[in-house]
Amino acid sequence: MVRLFLVILKLLLILISAGWISLWLLKPTEVWTRKWKGAEDKATATVFGYNGLDFAVYTFPIIALAIIGFIYLELKPKEPKMRPGRSSITALSSPLIINRYLGILSGIEILASSLFIIFLAWTFYARISNDFRKMTPVKSFKLTPWQYKMYRMATRCGLLAEACLALLLLPILRGMSIFRLLGIQFEASVSYHICLGTAMIFFATLHGTGTLFIWGIKHRIQDEMWKWQKTGRIYLAGEIALITGLVIWITALPQIRRKWFQTFYYTHHLYIVFLVFFLFHGGDRHFYMVFPGVFLFALDKLLRIIQSRPETCILSARVFPSKAIELTLPNDPRLKYTPTSVIFLKVPSISKFQWHPFSITSSSSVNEQALSIIIKCEGQWTSSLYNQIHAEKDSESDLRKCIPIAIEGPYGPTSLHFLRYDHLLLVAGGIGLTPFLSILQEIGSKLNNGRNRYPAQIQFIYTVKNSQEICLLDPILPQLLDIEQFHIKLKVFVTRENQPSTSLREVLRDLPDMQIINFSTTCSSYATHGPQNLPWMAAIAMFSSVIFLLLLSFFNHFIVPPSKKPSRPKNSTSMIDLLLICSFFVAVVFSALVVVIIRWKRLRQEFPLFSDKQSQSMKQSSHEVNRALDEHEIHFGGRPNFQDIFSNFKNECGGSEIGVLVCGPETMKKNVASACKLNSQVPGMNSRKTNFCFHSLNFTL
């Protein structure tokens, strides 16, 4: 029964997606424009007005995808039932282009990008060809043919920016993300957000500069650029939106974001100004096209704020000699998260506004009471946290102070996708080790519980700059020590040190001891509860959209004077735009209040989930090393030769499906992707072909 229901939901998702895509393809055509005007005329006389029609056709399909998708993900099996063979989808997900500037692109990404570029070209061509055919003169402008054509081309570039804006916010949704339906996680989809934002700013700049150029030729800049007319395009609003967008884009460039993160963080919140003035410039009809992303993003943002309340606290910290710290945080035993999950952390004593993402290094299958993250001291925020922890380490007091923190997440994959492979090849560089710690602990827990669904062989390649960083392997020492049961082979490469023949056991033995610091928990007795479950999110999305539509209809019928309602809705007015903002704000806030009431009721019923005694009994680091570590390899003074590693591992595994997971610097990822691509192209002689399936993990955004 559940399987049949899943099939029905999947068909609905496909049909709604196809319908929404078809809508965008038909919108630039003359036939659609003519039919749509007639439909809006008829809808104006109804209870919901033309606003209801625009919302139902342009906005609600994406919200419906989110609602149905959340239910589908909730019912979908969390673990793969079988290990699939080579398929067209698997082939398309493998690296196809590995370039210095473009990065690593799979066949699916190239196909999706190509289709989107074709769609933009089609939209531009359909609009421009119709404009050139009609050659309708612009009001109060006397333009020559070339000036008219340039003016219309600049105008139509605005529609391309609108298409990019419609998708811009969807990749950065966390709890309300619909990208999880495609198996794309938040940290991986941020790159799509960056590409869409760059394309949007490019087209918006062409739109603005082209229009200003024509105004300049006709000596109309002073007359036109300051206009805030009652109906139609508000040029001043468009100029403010463009300037705001440029500020956001410039401060988000990697050179600025890495050096002045706070500047990037705070200017990025100007998106509110950008969206409001875009609405005033384009009008409500154009805004309904981009409204799905705005709607879901606002819900997602408010739910995340609610989820991070009340604050919790740090239970303990382990200080590594490599200037890294492992934080142990309280966890609700009922909260289950998948390996490679990410949480967002805020420490109010450092900054009341900054959130930073970190990979969870623990497994809820191993420890239900607590979760762990490892933080490397690399920037201003992490240095402040490290110094605060280090100061407590030097304190002579037996019980350190309480450090309150706020947590969002965990956000992670909906299934244990790595279990579907016959063999695993894990490649990590530096702090990129963190996602693999949770994977290996999860596999270890399944082995201890007698579960036989795990990879038959695992090879782990770990590259570090100096030997002190090897101490980060401490959480998975049990797996490394029991090599016969876990079938794991570790190869460590220390790139900036040269030592004589030394074993991994000797290196670990000579490392300085790690110190555990236990903190007070008097400031909070709440554990990490995690985000709302998926059915609740589906209900919230549906409830909010219904409230919005009812409010918008009420305002349009009882607030807007009849004299200001256009007989046929040709142009938007500032009044209608303001009512849209008010309806949206009230609907989202009202939904958030409902969630707050439900969440606080739940917290009251589940009063303290941990105590000081629990925090003091957290695991202590066992610096236990034995001769089993001699089975693993350590190499000094050079980087790994991935081509040789892949060839040897392929020969060991024979014809099988090998999952390649890599997390580390971009250069390493490209080298691994190249080796993966080369070794998947040439099958071995007289043997079944070995398939390397490439997956890139991120530890930073």
Side-chain angles (χ1 to χ4, degrees):
M1 188 64 182
V2 175
R3 186 177 298 179
L4 177 62
F5 190 52
L6 284 172
V7 171
I8 295 172
L9 292 178
K10 196 169 186 177
L11 287 174
L12 279 174
L13 292 171
I14 294 172
L15 290 174
I16 294 173
S17 301
W20 193 69
I21 293 171
S22 301
L23 172 66
W24 278 93
L25 294 174
L26 291 172
K27 192 171 181 286
T29 63
E30 188 70 15
V31 175
W32 175 268
T33 303
R34 187 169 57 252
K35 295 288 186 182
W36 187 250
K37 285 181 178 179
E40 280 192 331
D41 285 338
K42 294 179 181 178
T44 305
T46 64
V47 175
F48 295 105
Y50 77 91
N51 311 86
L53 179 65
D54 283 3
F55 180 81
V57 175
Y58 292 138
T59 299
F60 191 70
I62 293 296
I63 299 175
L65 280 177
I67 294 170
I68 299 172
F70 294 155
I71 299 172
Y72 176 81
L73 291 175
E74 180 68 19
L75 298 176
K76 183 182 176 182
K78 299 300 184 289
E79 295 186 19
K81 295 182 178 179
M82 57 181 296
R83 293 179 180 141
R86 186 73 167 179
S87 65
S88 57
I89 298 297
T90 304
L92 284 174
S93 63
S94 298
L96 197 60
I97 294 180
I98 304 166
N99 184 270
R100 177 181 178 183
Y101 302 102
L102 297 177
I104 304 170
L105 297 177
S106 65
I108 292 178
E109 291 173 325
I110 295 171
L111 178 62
S113 302
S114 301
L115 291 175
F116 186 65
I117 293 172
I118 292 171
F119 158 72
L120 293 177
W122 154 249
T123 300
F124 189 75
Y125 168 77
R127 294 290 191 182
I128 285 297
S129 60
N130 185 49
D131 291 340
F132 289 179
R133 187 169 59 252
K134 289 184 177 181
M135 292 292 285
T136 305
V138 181
K139 288 183 180 180
S140 70
F141 274 46
K142 295 180 180 179
L143 302 177
T144 62
W146 77 267
Q147 291 172 347
Y148 173 83
K149 290 180 179 180
M150 185 173 182
Y151 185 77
R152 297 310 299 171
M153 289 172 68
T155 301
R156 296 313 181 186
C157 281
L159 293 178
L160 303 185
E162 177 188 307
C164 296
L165 180 58
L167 301 174
L168 181 64
L169 296 177
L170 296 178
I172 56 172
L173 298 176
R174 298 178 194 172
M176 303 289 288
S177 176
I178 60 176
F179 268 50
R180 284 182 291 179
L181 291 168
L182 303 175
I184 302 173
Q185 297 308 307
F186 171 77
E187 65 273 14
S189 60
V190 170
S191 58
Y192 306 143
H193 171 75
I194 295 172
C195 293
L196 288 168
T198 302
M200 183 198 71
I201 291 298
F202 173 74
F203 291 124
T205 304
L206 290 179
H207 171 64
T209 54
T211 303
L212 287 172
F213 178 73
I214 297 300
W215 287 351
I217 291 176
K218 293 300 178 179
H219 306 288
R220 298 293 299 273
I221 290 182
Q222 291 295 328
D223 297 331
E224 299 293 334
M225 71 179 301
W226 303 109
K227 279 187 177 180
W228 192 287
Q229 60 271 34
K230 294 182 179 180
T231 60
R233 300 285 179 269
I234 300 175
Y235 299 133
L236 180 58
E239 293 151 15
I240 295 173
L242 177 58
I243 293 172
T244 306
L246 285 170
V247 170
I248 294 173
W249 180 75
I250 290 171
T251 55
L253 292 173
Q255 299 84 348
I256 296 178
R257 185 179 71 245
R258 291 169 187 161
K259 195 171 183 180
W260 296 289
F261 179 81
Q262 290 189 9
T263 302
F264 152 76
Y265 182 83
Y266 293 119
T267 55
H268 232 64
H269 285 77
L270 291 174
Y271 68 84
I272 300 173
V273 177
F274 174 81
L275 291 171
V276 169
F277 283 100
F278 170 80
L279 169 61
F280 283 123
H281 176 64
D284 59 337
R285 275 176 199 75
H286 286 275
F287 195 73
Y288 280 118
M289 299 296 294
V290 306
F291 195 39
V294 177
F295 193 90
L296 291 175
F297 180 80
L299 283 177
D300 185 67
K301 186 77 173 178
L302 281 176
L303 289 176
R304 281 161 29 207
I305 293 173
I306 294 168
Q307 180 206 148
S308 63
R309 303 290 190 276
E311 293 177 347
T312 182
C313 60
I314 299 175
L315 295 180
S316 63
R318 175 161 44 169
V319 182
F320 293 100
S322 59
K323 210 172 182 182
I325 49 175
E326 180 186 33
L327 300 183
T328 301
L329 313 173
N331 183 61
D332 187 337
R334 288 161 300 181
L335 175 61
K336 303 299 180 183
Y337 51 87
T338 50
T340 72
S341 291
V342 173
I343 64 168
F344 285 76
L345 189 69
K346 180 180 74 172
V347 182
S349 60
I350 299 175
S351 173
K352 294 185 181 299
F353 303 103
Q354 288 188 34
W355 291 87
H356 293 263
F358 299 99
S359 297
I360 297 178
T361 58
S362 56
S363 168
S364 56
S365 301
V366 177
N367 188 352
E368 296 180 340
Q369 301 291 334
L371 59 85
S372 303
I373 59 174
I374 293 179
I375 300 175
K376 185 72 179 291
C377 178
E378 292 180 329
Q380 182 179 354
W381 188 90
T382 52
S383 297
S384 299
L385 179 60
Y386 179 84
N387 293 335
Q388 189 172 346
I389 299 292
H390 202 270
E392 291 299 311
K393 185 186 75 150
D394 298 332
S395 173
E396 296 180 358
S397 174
D398 293 334
L399 187 63
R400 276 76 177 186
K401 68 178 182 180
C402 183
I403 302 180
I405 58 171
I407 295 176
E408 286 182 13
Y411 306 113
T414 55
S415 64
L416 304 176
H417 61 281
F418 58 88
L419 291 178
R420 73 176 185 262
Y421 296 110
D422 300 312
H423 306 274
L424 277 180
L425 181 58
L426 311 179
V427 183
I431 197 63
L433 161 83
T434 51
F436 300 121
L437 298 179
S438 60
I439 289 177
L440 294 175
Q441 290 185 72
E442 182 73 21
I443 293 175
S445 71
K446 292 189 176 298
L447 282 167
N448 292 330
N449 293 331
R451 305 279 293 279
N452 58 0
R453 188 172 296 282
Y454 57 87
Q457 188 175 358
I458 303 171
Q459 188 165 124
F460 188 14
I461 311 299
Y462 185 36
T463 304
V464 293
K465 294 179 181 179
N466 55 72
S467 56
Q468 278 197 338
E469 296 184 53
I470 301 176
C471 62
L472 298 179
L473 292 169
D474 190 78
I476 55 168
L477 272 181
Q479 285 86 344
L480 299 178
L481 293 172
D482 196 352
I483 192 171
E484 293 183 0
Q485 181 182 5
F486 289 93
H487 305 287
I488 180 173
K489 181 66 177 292
L490 173 68
K491 295 183 179 180
V492 179
F493 293 83
V494 184
T495 59
R496 295 187 180 180
E497 290 183 8
N498 285 305
Q499 292 188 17
S501 180
T502 307
S503 67
L504 181 62
R505 174 169 57 92
E506 294 171 334
V507 172
L508 287 173
R509 185 188 58 197
D510 294 338
L511 288 176
D513 290 333
M514 291 167 279
Q515 184 174 351
I516 297 288
I517 307 169
N518 292 307
F519 292 95
S520 170
T521 60
T522 55
C523 58
S524 175
S525 57
Y526 291 102
T528 305
H529 286 269
Q532 298 289 336
N533 58 43
L534 293 174
W536 260 111
M537 289 186 181
I540 292 165
M542 173 61 78
F543 179 74
S544 301
S545 58
V546 171
I547 294 296
F548 167 79
L549 191 56
L550 292 176
L551 285 171
L552 189 62
S553 302
F554 173 80
F555 287 149
N556 278 328
H557 279 81
F558 298 101
I559 303 298
V560 180
S563 59
K564 293 190 178 182
K565 292 182 181 178
S567 56
R568 188 176 73 166
K570 292 181 180 179
N571 296 314
S572 178
T573 66
S574 298
M575 174 68 78
I576 294 175
D577 295 340
L578 286 171
L579 292 179
L580 190 151
I581 294 174
C582 292
S583 303
F584 165 65
F585 179 79
V586 174
V588 172
V589 171
F590 188 70
S591 301
L593 288 174
V594 173
V595 176
V596 167
I597 294 171
I598 295 172
R599 186 173 180 84
W600 277 102
K601 185 177 179 181
R602 175 187 171 191
L603 290 176
R604 280 186 179 182
Q605 294 173 349
E606 299 163 2
F607 184 57
L609 292 173
F610 69 93
S611 64
D612 280 341
K613 291 183 179 180
Q614 286 176 305
S615 68
Q616 295 294 333
S617 63
M618 288 295 159
K619 63 175 184 179
Q620 300 291 318
S621 170
S622 61
H623 213 353
E624 177 190 355
V625 290
N626 60 24
R627 296 191 180 278
L629 289 175
D630 291 337
E631 299 293 328
H632 304 289
E633 300 176 12
I634 184 168
H635 306 272
F636 289 90
R639 297 180 179 179
N641 186 326
F642 290 113
Q643 185 59 41
D644 290 344
I645 290 172
F646 273 71
S647 298
N648 294 334
F649 194 59
K650 180 171 63 174
N651 294 333
E652 293 175 12
C653 299
S656 60
E657 196 86 4
I658 300 176
V660 180
L661 282 68
V662 57
C663 185
E666 287 301 315
T667 304
M668 170 185 284
K669 289 183 179 181
K670 291 173 184 176
N671 292 336
V672 173
S674 299
C676 183
K677 180 181 177 182
L678 289 173
N679 283 275
S680 293
Q681 288 176 343
V682 183
M685 297 297 293
N686 301 321
S687 65
R688 293 190 298 117
K689 183 176 179 180
T690 301
N691 300 319
F692 287 95
C693 302
F694 179 85
H695 300 275
S696 176
L697 304 177
N698 295 320
F699 61 93
T700 58
L701 300 179

